[in-house]
Amino acid sequence: MNLVIEILTGTLFHIQVSEKTTVADLKREISKQEKLPENRLILMLDIGGDSIMLNGDEVPLTEYGVKDGSHFYLFFKLPNSNKNDGENRNGGGGGNIGVVNPETPVSQGDSVTTIV
């Protein structure tokens, strides 16, 4: 299957995968091809104007309805800035998820990879 991936900047690229590919496999391939940190990738699948977040890394893409030509939006998890706090504002140890524009650093000292 040939998949279309779009980043917030509007940049499009294509990834070729098999029908047995999982969400984790797709993230790994995107990370390898585009030199992005795999552990910060968030994928949303565009289904006729609606979007669904692909949360299950071990779930095959076909279970989400992915087919040849499917369009994905690629977002990035915010870097963990609470390394010494032990807990975050959400309470507990879960990671913060946010939408990051790759052209704008999110806070002091943070940098975000931009694909040119």
Side-chain angles (χ1 to χ4, degrees):
M1 296 186 292
N2 185 35
L3 308 178
V4 179
I5 315 294
E6 183 174 349
I7 300 177
L8 284 172
T9 60
T11 302
L12 296 173
F13 59 94
H14 297 264
I15 299 279
Q16 188 74 30
V17 298
S18 77
E19 291 189 8
K20 295 179 182 177
T21 300
T22 65
V23 173
D25 295 334
L26 178 57
K27 287 180 181 178
R28 198 171 304 112
E29 188 59 34
I30 290 170
S31 176
K32 188 169 87 176
Q33 179 177 316
E34 300 298 320
K35 296 176 179 49
L36 295 170
E38 180 181 336
N39 64 339
R40 292 189 47 209
L41 301 181
I42 299 170
L43 289 168
M44 295 197 67
L45 174 62
D46 180 18
I47 302 177
D50 290 329
S51 296
I52 58 169
M53 187 178 293
L54 280 64
N55 291 321
D57 277 352
E58 299 309 315
V59 177
L61 295 175
T62 53
E63 285 191 27
Y64 283 105
V66 174
K67 57 186 182 228
D68 188 51
S70 286
H71 190 122
F72 291 85
Y73 296 101
L74 179 62
F75 299 95
F76 301 93
K77 290 180 187 175
L78 295 172
N80 186 358
S81 60
N82 300 323
K83 291 178 185 168
N84 297 324
D85 287 348
E87 62 180 75
N88 61 34
R89 280 182 238 157
N90 297 330
N96 291 327
I97 296 178
V99 176
V100 178
N101 181 339
E103 295 179 346
T104 307
V106 292
S107 66
Q108 286 183 331
D110 288 341
S111 63
V112 180
T113 304
T114 304
I115 297 175
V116 181

